[in-house]
Amino acid sequence: MRKILNITVILLLILGVKAQSQVTISGETTNLESPVKLYKVFDGQLEQIAQARPNQAGNFGFYFYPEYEGLFVLGYDNDQSLQKKFKFYLKKEDRLSISLTNDTLYTLSGKSNSKENQVLNKWYNLTKSLEQKSVYFDNTLSTFVDYFPAQEITVKESKDFLKGKQTGNAKFDAAIKDIIKLDLAILATNFVSTPRTAHPKIEEYSDFYSTLKASDFAKNTSLMYNYPYGKRLLLSLIYLNKTQAHLKDTKTAWLEEDLKFVPNDTLKGDVVLSYLKGIKSEGEFDAKTKNFVQFFITDHQKKQINAIKIPLLTYKGGSPAFNFSYPDEAGKNRTLSDFKDKYVFVDIWATWCKPCVDEIPYLQKLEEDLKGKNIEFISISVDAGKDKAKWLNMIKDKKLSGVQLFSSGGQDILDYYKIAGIPRFMIFDKTGKIIRADAPRPSDPELKNLLQKIIDN
């Protein structure tokens, strides 16, 4: 996670960008104890980028260059909570001036606020009483008896809300329609999924709930990914739709049933990931993911998979190996699965690592001794990308044989096997499963005996 800067005024400058391109946020708050956090929206979730602690007068500020034009969030406390969060639309050169009251309300102040944020503030004012009932359930006595009628009124008013409110910014004027749709949906689903003194039967839900279909929201990633609570909303809609259909989770097909409500494959991957976070063992993880790997499409999803799986790994014999994919000296990408039906010996090394280089003659002798056997020797360099020429030169100078791969730092394989030091040697079977994740060095006679025994069996 990136380092969070904790100063009153945040300066995130990008070289070459003119000062007038930055966004300035100035505010005042009645909460002098908690820092005000600034979030960007990343793949349908909040990601904190800065925080500012107010001074004794309650003043705080941010000065930064936005990565995109769209929604940002200011707020307090739990990063993914709906409580104490306020949405704003920011683009280059914007000046936002706000007042935060009791952590749960905000008003615009001054005359510098953009037309976009003035419209967004009017929408906030229209929905804030509904938000108080839905989001701040611990501070209200609201039940479905008073919430459902209020919700139907707000939904009706939303249909005419944008009349006469065009800002001249075509991107925002299109985005606000989605924001309205998403805000109403998150308030509605949050209400029925949070503690109340009385809960309605599904037949008592108000008419608006019949219009909320996960399939309508999940046709593509852009709608959910550009909204601060998109992933949370998707899961809530799936649960709502299952309840409406009177479906119950089964022990064997609960996730398959959930995915039927989601037409987009990438979003299906997000749904699977949300469930995997509760997995407690490597075996359970493998069992749950084997039928869904095709849905882990984005680089971010693949990183999340590894972040969930790595702490569970035991590296016992028979466990799945990391299916690396790195280029060889000719630039052709090679993966572990390319060597199916062969035993594989992997050497993790670097040109700057003297113990690694010292093992090379022993490795070459081992390769010669086992020549013609059903085993492939693969050396993976974890040299930095800038040192690729050194790696190529060493291959030539030392006449390195076997399969030589360059990983540009190899952080993924280092993380997967929790490798803190190199060289590291590993042995895999003909199906790509671990035999030894920490094998003896080539200089150790035990290694040759071990490999011969494995191959002969």
Side-chain angles (χ1 to χ4, degrees):
M1 176 178 281
R2 66 167 52 85
K3 185 177 180 182
I4 303 300
L5 304 181
N6 184 10
I7 54 178
T8 300
V9 179
I10 301 298
L11 180 61
L12 300 176
L13 291 176
I14 297 179
L15 294 177
V17 178
K18 295 181 180 180
Q20 63 264 29
S21 294
Q22 274 98 51
V23 167
T24 300
I25 300 175
S26 58
E28 57 182 11
T29 176
T30 56
N31 183 345
L32 304 184
E33 304 300 322
S34 302
V36 180
K37 299 178 180 180
L38 174 63
Y39 303 90
K40 70 176 183 179
V41 180
F42 179 73
D43 284 2
Q45 288 184 300
L46 296 180
E47 184 174 302
Q48 186 180 333
I49 56 176
Q51 63 181 16
R53 187 169 292 278
N55 61 20
Q56 290 303 307
N59 299 315
F60 66 90
F62 297 93
Y63 185 42
F64 77 107
Y65 183 84
E67 296 178 22
Y68 58 86
E69 176 180 334
L71 290 178
F72 289 78
V73 172
L74 289 173
Y76 305 92
D77 297 342
N78 186 306
D79 287 354
Q80 299 308 320
S81 170
L82 296 175
Q83 295 188 356
K84 304 178 182 180
K85 302 292 189 301
F86 311 100
K87 299 187 295 295
F88 301 97
Y89 189 94
L90 299 176
K91 61 186 188 303
K92 294 178 183 179
E93 303 183 31
D94 271 354
R95 301 292 182 264
L96 177 66
S97 183
I98 58 170
S99 295
L100 305 180
T101 307
N102 298 326
D103 297 353
T104 65
L105 299 168
Y106 90 88
T107 55
L108 295 180
S109 56
K111 299 181 180 179
S112 61
N113 293 296
S114 67
K115 291 180 180 178
E116 294 90 339
N117 281 316
Q118 291 176 38
V119 171
L120 203 56
N121 178 247
K122 290 176 181 178
W123 170 244
Y124 168 78
N125 287 333
L126 177 63
T127 58
K128 65 183 178 182
S129 62
L130 195 65
E131 180 185 89
Q132 292 293 309
K133 294 175 182 291
S134 172
V135 174
Y136 298 95
F137 52 88
D138 50 346
N139 294 329
T140 70
L141 297 177
S142 181
T143 69
F144 71 96
V145 176
D146 64 281
Y147 180 81
F148 286 170
Q151 178 173 264
E152 294 302 318
I153 291 172
T154 303
V155 169
K156 183 177 180 180
E157 292 175 338
S158 72
K159 299 183 186 305
D160 296 323
F161 172 76
L162 290 176
K163 289 183 178 179
K165 294 185 176 65
Q166 284 68 38
T167 65
N169 180 346
K171 186 172 183 178
F172 172 81
D173 290 343
I176 186 63
K177 297 176 183 177
D178 290 336
I179 293 170
I180 290 173
K181 174 182 177 179
L182 292 159
D183 278 355
L184 291 172
I186 195 70
L187 292 178
T189 55
N190 190 73
F191 182 85
V192 294
S193 61
T194 47
R196 307 288 163 179
T197 56
H199 290 275
K201 298 176 182 178
I202 191 65
E203 295 79 13
E204 296 177 296
Y205 280 26
S206 64
D207 292 342
F208 181 58
Y209 287 95
S210 65
T211 70
L212 299 177
K213 304 296 181 185
S215 57
D216 293 337
F217 287 79
K219 293 178 180 178
N220 56 63
T221 58
S222 61
L223 184 66
M224 307 307 280
Y225 276 11
N226 292 329
Y227 188 64
Y229 316 106
K231 288 183 179 178
R232 175 176 178 157
L233 175 58
L234 178 59
L235 295 176
S236 297
L237 287 169
I238 292 171
Y239 181 78
L240 171 66
N241 293 165
K242 287 173 67 176
T243 303
Q244 290 169 325
H246 301 285
L247 296 176
K248 294 183 179 180
D249 290 337
T250 65
K251 291 183 178 180
T252 58
W254 52 273
L255 191 48
E256 288 89 341
E257 290 296 327
D258 283 10
L259 296 182
K260 290 178 181 179
F261 292 94
V262 183
N264 181 270
D265 281 354
T266 302
L267 293 176
K268 286 180 179 179
D270 291 331
V271 173
V272 176
L273 280 166
S274 69
Y275 286 105
L276 291 179
K277 292 176 182 178
I279 297 298
K280 301 299 183 183
S281 71
E282 182 181 354
E284 185 183 3
F285 179 93
D286 293 334
K288 295 292 187 185
T289 56
K290 66 180 180 180
N291 295 325
F292 307 113
V293 290
Q294 71 272 26
F295 300 133
F296 306 135
I297 297 170
T298 68
D299 289 341
H300 182 57
Q301 288 175 326
K302 293 172 184 176
K303 288 179 181 178
Q304 285 181 288
I305 278 290
N306 281 339
I308 296 169
K309 182 174 183 177
I310 288 171
L312 304 175
L313 294 176
T314 60
Y315 309 107
K316 293 180 180 178
S319 299
F322 175 67
N323 189 29
F324 55 76
S325 178
Y326 303 126
D328 60 19
E329 64 266 39
K332 180 181 178 181
N333 258 43
R334 310 294 292 273
T335 70
L336 178 61
S337 58
D338 290 340
F339 304 96
K340 186 179 179 181
D341 298 328
K342 285 188 176 184
Y343 292 102
V344 175
F345 180 81
V346 171
D347 168 21
I348 308 294
W349 73 294
T351 59
W352 49 261
C353 169
K354 187 177 184 303
C356 301
V357 176
D358 289 345
E359 289 294 324
I360 291 176
Y362 298 99
L363 179 59
Q364 291 174 320
K365 178 65 167 58
L366 184 64
E367 291 179 41
E368 183 63 28
D369 289 346
L370 296 178
K371 188 174 182 179
K373 299 287 187 179
N374 190 29
I375 185 169
E376 194 77 50
F377 290 87
I378 301 175
S379 296
I380 299 176
S381 164
V382 293
D383 284 282
K386 63 182 180 64
D387 294 324
K388 187 173 183 178
K390 294 180 181 179
W391 170 70
L392 290 170
N393 288 334
M394 187 168 286
I395 291 174
K396 181 179 179 181
D397 294 344
K398 291 191 174 292
K399 298 181 174 60
L400 301 185
S401 54
V403 178
Q404 299 292 328
L405 303 179
F406 190 76
S407 70
S408 297
Q411 200 58 53
D412 51 358
I413 195 167
L414 294 175
D415 286 346
Y416 190 91
Y417 291 108
K418 303 175 186 175
I419 298 174
I422 54 174
R424 178 71 170 268
F425 304 95
M426 296 178 283
I427 307 169
F428 305 101
D429 71 15
K430 293 184 288 185
T431 65
K433 293 184 178 179
I434 294 171
I435 293 178
R436 290 279 295 270
D438 194 357
R441 296 187 178 197
S443 57
D444 186 341
E446 180 191 343
L447 176 61
K448 181 179 178 180
N449 295 331
L450 175 61
L451 290 177
Q452 286 180 324
K453 183 178 179 180
I454 290 170
I455 295 169
D456 292 342
N457 286 341

